[in-house]
Amino acid sequence: MTTPKGIKYGPQAKSGETLVIVGYRLKNTADKPLSLLERPAFALIDAQGQRYNPDDFITASAGVEVAAQNSFVADINPNTSIDGRVAWKLDATAFDRNTWKLVVAGDPQLTFALK
């Protein structure tokens, strides 16, 4: 795999690497604004249970066009939502979308299969 379609600038996957970019929508269902620091953390988990944290630089690059559309860094007011992206640079031979999972920290913790 190489750099996903739609990413024309910023970091690129080198030979033997892949970029995994996950798009999401986050809705604030609380009764007060949700700040950037209060948002859930994302991780990828491989079939052996190894955790991989996102690459902040690639995440910021992947989120530029999304941020322009919905002010990603602003607080999320009650009953409103934002679209975002989170990204990882991984060893292409290790990554398997069929066995890896996306984990979203929270109470409860949420786990999703990759598509």
Side-chain angles (χ1 to χ4, degrees), residues 38-96:
E38 296 173 305
R39 296 181 196 173
F42 295 87
L44 287 177
I45 306 292
D46 68 17
Q48 291 75 40
Q50 175 68 44
R51 178 186 181 97
Y52 297 82
N53 290 329
D55 182 300
D56 292 335
F57 181 70
I58 298 171
T59 294
S61 296
V64 166
E65 72 181 64
V66 175
Q69 297 170 12
N70 63 47
S71 190
F72 180 76
V73 296
D75 288 352
I76 307 170
N77 286 317
N79 298 311
T80 63
S81 61
I82 58 139
D83 294 328
R85 291 185 180 161
V86 62
W88 294 260
K89 184 189 294 188
L90 302 167
D91 177 342
T93 60
F95 177 69
D96 178 2

